[in-house]
Amino acid sequence: METYTPTPSAHLDRALTRIAAVLAALVLALALAAPADAMEAVRCTGRPNSDNDPTVIMGATQSRITFETAIEEGEGVSRLVLTVPEGTTFGTDDLSLTLLTGDDLLTRTKVEYRMSVDGQDIVFDFSPAITQAGHLSIMIDDVYFPQNGGEMQVAASYTDATGEHELDDIPPISVQGISTAESIAHWLDEQPWVEAWNSNRFLHLFFDPTLIVTSFPVVLNGFFTSIAVVAISFPLAIPLALLLATMRLSKFVLWRGIATTYVNFMRGTPLFLQIYVAFFGLPLAGLSLPKFPLGVIVLMLNSGAYMCEIFRAGILSIDKGQTEAARSLGMGRLQTMIYIVLPQMFRNVIPNLTNEFITLYKDSSLLAAVGIMELVMYARTIVASTGSITPYIVAAFFYLIITLPLSKVTRHLEERMRTHSGRKRARARKAAVKEG
Amino acid sequence: MAETEQRQQAAAGAGSAAGEEPILSIRHLSKRFGSLEVLKDISFDVRKGEVVVVLGPSGSGKSTMLRCLNRLEEPTSGEIIFEGDDICQKGVDVNDVRKRMGMVFQQFNLFPHLDALHNVMIAQMKVLKRDRAEAERIAHAELERVGLAEREDHYPDELSGGQQQRVAIARALAMDPHVMLFDEGTSALDPELVRGVLDVMRELAQGGMTMIVVTHEMSFARDVADRVVFMDGGVIEEQGAPEQIFEHPRSERTRAFLGEIAN
């Protein structure tokens, strides 16, 4: 037999229901008792001015703010102050203010007002005061949020018969931060001359100003990679080349043979092929290295062969009398090489070495073929996504800023080798120091 | 000045007076380049402190002979006994021999990447392992001896030929050589620059340095030489005191050569 016995939980349920009812009544009573606000924020939104994605508001990009409030009947709103967030710039030339009234809020009602701007504040003085119920919407059309973005809080206060009141609960506007390049690009996008420029097919394809600006920071990453590749492989190639040059000048057939074969092979085959062999052949042979070091090694091995010939010619160009003089003083073969021949040789081959550096820097672009993220590779990714050639032109710029000054340096050095103005100046300095 | 002379005397050994015993003894020296026989059975001695001037027409093998003495050329056969050792033997440390035998070249062969001072310093530091301060002190002294103290921070191409040759002499002297070899040291010089170099060589000779001088300077040979060796066609045609060679040459060839020079 079962008898109904109320469980403890059922008791609790009933008690809770009762408490909730009381609370609800209390809240309702409080709400009714409180004096109604004359104005209430309804919405505050941002929107980009361009045709881009309307849901994304970006910093430093022309946008607009739409601010909407509900006005209660009666109180009479005489003044409204909108405070635009710090760091945000705005223009009020195209600002629009609309009051919609009626039950369905479809009646546009004329509002007489005077507007003034004080710092970040936009002050609207209404005369006569607005007494009608309705929605007041203000659109600031020419707004630039800070570049870094963030949550932008618009503040507002209004004045009615009872005094000045803050408007609470204004929703913040989420602004996405953008890079300087993007901000410049956005600015460029708005310029009429850019539009005119881009109307030329050729200019648009190769020199799109906006794309130049946006691809610059991206391709810059590749620039660092390319510089790193060369900055490591070039110095490493020097000892290799010295060794090869010494071997090629050796009395011993075996050394000569090894070095000559190596140099002929490296100079006689395309670097592109050597890169392929290293990158696809070595892994098959069970030897796998990370891309970057492998790329550096291949360039070093290749450049070493070319440099070997530079050094060999450089050493041969040193007068035999130099070696004889050094040896006649009792200096050994190695000492003579290190202290007498090589210093003169290096000074003579600096222009050639600079040229070799330029060549190596340019050739590092071949590493794009095996996926090393260098200059060309970065440019290619943007080309692939935009269909414009402009990023390649940007990449070209990054080659030229190294190669042009260096070839100038080469010319200068060649010039200086013929004169000794540098030396005389150095001595004059030294003499001046001595006297002083 | 005083210091360089002291060092020179120390280098020349205790018996600074010209001794009887030869410091350098060349025996049956031959040299061929392929089928060309440049030196044929050359023999002569050089005593300590002696100044030997080698004369002869160009192509007579004078320079080759001199270059064999410190093995810049490898002799084909023969012996070169220097301070008691045959330096042509296998296993001889040729660098050690060259330390004791200074050489001055026709083309100076200064190191163009170093200034005068460092030209004189480098071998001292690398070969004799002198420290920088000592090498510099000695280089100063040697450059002063050749009258170029003022020019020590000049690079070779900023010096006249005569100045370069004097730096080259200082460079060799800084190594405290026991013998100095001069390979036509004035032949590449403009006439007005010859004198300065000859003066330095003359002073060196008076200081007791053992010298073998290949030259065309007859006045130098006449005034300074203890002995003149006349070479022609790879052989020593005649040798003797300068008065004897110049006044009473025995060989027909010597006479012809001297006659040509006189004209």
Side-chain angles (χ1 to χ4, degrees), chain A residues 319-333 335 339-341 343-344 347 420 423-424 427 430 434, chain B residues 67 70 72 94-95 98-99 101 103 105 109-113 122-123 126-127 129 153-155 157-158 171-172 175:
Chain A
D319 186 58
K320 208 173 122 234
Q322 291 293 309
T323 313
E324 287 185 350
R327 299 302 310 272
S328 79
L329 288 163
M331 292 174 82
R333 220 181 276 278
Q335 284 182 324
Y339 300 111
I340 305 302
V341 177
Q344 297 184 51
R347 224 179 46 177
H420 298 284
R423 243 189 237 160
K424 278 190 183 119
R427 188 163 47 244
K430 220 161 95 182
K434 258 184 205 163
Chain B
R67 290 161 60 85
N70 67 354
L72 280 183
V94 71
N95 292 331
R98 287 169 179 162
K99 265 195 281 195
M101 215 187 271
M103 186 165 199
F105 299 86
N109 295 341
L110 287 188
F111 307 130
H113 62 299
I122 184 137
K126 303 305 173 192
V127 178
K129 311 291 178 198
D153 54 357
H154 281 56
Y155 283 82
D157 57 4
E158 297 165 331
R171 176 174 72 178
M175 303 297 288

Side-chain angles (χ1 to χ4, degrees), chain A residues 182-204:
Chain A
E182 282 174 309
S183 76
I184 297 171
H186 287 142
W187 179 82
L188 279 173
D189 263 340
E190 292 158 16
Q191 304 308 308
W193 67 265
V194 174
E195 202 179 327
W197 176 281
N198 280 342
S199 66
N200 178 302
R201 221 179 111 102
F202 172 78
L203 292 178
H204 179 54

Side-chain angles (χ1 to χ4, degrees), chain A residues 349-418:
Chain A
V349 301
I350 281 174
N352 293 330
L353 277 189
T354 316
N355 281 332
E356 177 56 28
F357 184 89
I358 291 173
T359 306
L360 187 65
Y361 179 51
K362 289 188 293 179
D363 283 355
S364 69
S365 62
L366 292 171
L367 293 174
V370 287
I372 289 183
M373 291 304 288
E374 47 65 73
L375 266 172
V376 170
M377 196 61 179
Y378 266 105
R380 195 158 78 185
T381 54
I382 315 178
V383 167
S385 63
T386 60
S388 171
I389 298 302
T390 307
Y392 283 148
I393 304 297
V394 173
F397 165 80
F398 279 112
Y399 284 107
L400 289 173
I401 55 165
I402 297 293
T403 55
L404 287 186
L406 274 187
S407 15
K408 203 174 156 78
V409 166
T410 311
R411 274 198 301 278
H412 177 73
L413 287 174
E414 278 169 348
E415 193 61 38
R416 238 187 63 169
M417 251 185 239
R418 265 167 269 157

Side-chain angles (χ1 to χ4, degrees), chain A residues 136-390:
Chain A
L136 181 69
S137 106
I138 297 168
M139 192 168 82
I140 316 168
D141 201 24
D142 189 15
V143 176
Y144 290 87
F145 290 110
Q147 191 186 318
N148 292 334
E151 296 293 294
M152 295 291 134
Q153 181 66 59
V154 176
S157 66
Y158 65 95
T159 309
D160 65 6
T162 61
E164 195 181 322
H165 309 277
E166 289 290 323
L167 267 177
D168 300 325
D169 300 331
I170 303 173
I173 302 169
S174 286
V175 176
Q176 194 182 316
I178 61 169
S179 65
T180 309
E182 282 174 309
S183 76
I184 297 171
H186 287 142
W187 179 82
L188 279 173
D189 263 340
E190 292 158 16
Q191 304 308 308
W193 67 265
V194 174
E195 202 179 327
W197 176 281
N198 280 342
S199 66
N200 178 302
R201 221 179 111 102
F202 172 78
L203 292 178
H204 179 54
L205 196 57
F206 289 88
F207 301 101
D208 182 353
T210 318
L211 207 46
I212 287 177
V213 171
T214 48
S215 55
F216 195 89
V218 181
V219 177
L220 185 66
N221 294 321
F223 175 65
F224 292 137
T225 313
S226 294
I227 288 289
V229 167
V230 183
I232 300 172
S233 56
F234 186 80
L236 288 180
I238 291 177
L240 170 69
L242 277 177
L243 178 72
L244 287 169
T246 320
M247 285 169 77
R248 287 207 69 173
L249 294 170
S250 161
K251 286 188 289 195
F252 299 104
V253 181
L254 180 67
W255 296 144
R256 265 206 324 264
I258 292 173
T260 307
T261 310
Y262 177 83
V263 168
N264 285 343
F265 178 80
M266 292 310 262
R267 284 170 25 120
T269 57
L271 175 57
F272 197 56
L273 188 76
Q274 293 161 18
I275 290 172
Y276 267 24
V277 168
F279 275 76
F280 301 124
L282 289 184
L284 289 179
L287 209 150
S288 63
L289 270 177
K291 278 180 185 177
F292 184 84
L294 187 55
V296 166
I297 290 171
V298 177
L299 285 192
M300 175 201 80
L301 293 178
N302 178 272
S303 191
Y306 283 91
M307 262 190 231
C308 161
E309 291 304 276
I310 294 175
F311 288 158
R312 193 174 68 106
I315 291 170
L316 287 176
S317 76
I318 304 297
D319 186 58
K320 208 173 122 234
Q322 291 293 309
T323 313
E324 287 185 350
R327 299 302 310 272
S328 79
L329 288 163
M331 292 174 82
R333 220 181 276 278
L334 191 66
Q335 284 182 324
T336 303
M337 200 62 167
I338 291 173
Y339 300 111
I340 305 302
V341 177
L342 290 187
Q344 297 184 51
M345 182 278 285
F346 268 112
R347 224 179 46 177
N348 292 345
V349 301
I350 281 174
N352 293 330
L353 277 189
T354 316
N355 281 332
E356 177 56 28
F357 184 89
I358 291 173
T359 306
L360 187 65
Y361 179 51
K362 289 188 293 179
D363 283 355
S364 69
S365 62
L366 292 171
L367 293 174
V370 287
I372 289 183
M373 291 304 288
E374 47 65 73
L375 266 172
V376 170
M377 196 61 179
Y378 266 105
R380 195 158 78 185
T381 54
I382 315 178
V383 167
S385 63
T386 60
S388 171
I389 298 302
T390 307

Side-chain angles (χ1 to χ4, degrees), chain B residues 151-168:
Chain B
R151 293 271 192 270
E152 61 182 30
D153 54 357
H154 281 56
Y155 283 82
D157 57 4
E158 297 165 331
L159 297 170
S160 73
Q163 290 170 337
Q164 286 189 56
Q165 192 60 295
R166 277 143 66 193
V167 173

Side-chain angles (χ1 to χ4, degrees), chain A residues 11-124:
Chain A
H11 279 294
L12 198 66
D13 274 351
R14 242 171 296 161
L16 279 175
T17 317
R18 235 174 271 146
I19 291 168
V22 170
L23 273 177
L26 204 64
V27 168
L28 197 67
L30 276 173
L32 287 174
D37 285 329
M39 196 180 248
E40 223 172 287
V42 175
R43 116 189 144 93
C44 179
T45 55
R47 226 188 120 118
N49 266 2
S50 64
D51 305 330
N52 299 340
D53 181 359
T55 61
V56 181
I57 312 138
M58 286 184 288
T61 309
Q62 198 185 39
S63 313
R64 55 181 180 253
I65 296 176
T66 308
F67 180 80
E68 211 174 309
T69 59
I71 299 178
E72 292 292 312
E73 189 171 352
E75 296 292 345
V77 175
S78 58
R79 175 181 251 206
L80 174 67
V81 181
L82 276 184
T83 309
V84 178
E86 204 60 46
T88 304
T89 60
F90 58 93
T92 52
D93 290 346
D94 289 325
L95 184 140
S96 71
L97 182 144
T98 323
L99 180 64
L100 296 172
T101 55
D103 292 338
D104 47 7
L105 295 174
L106 280 177
T107 317
R108 197 178 275 260
T109 308
K110 195 168 167 55
V111 183
E112 296 289 342
Y113 69 96
R114 207 160 44 79
M115 183 183 71
S116 56
V117 174
D118 177 20
Q120 294 299 99
D121 292 346
I122 311 175
V123 183
F124 301 92

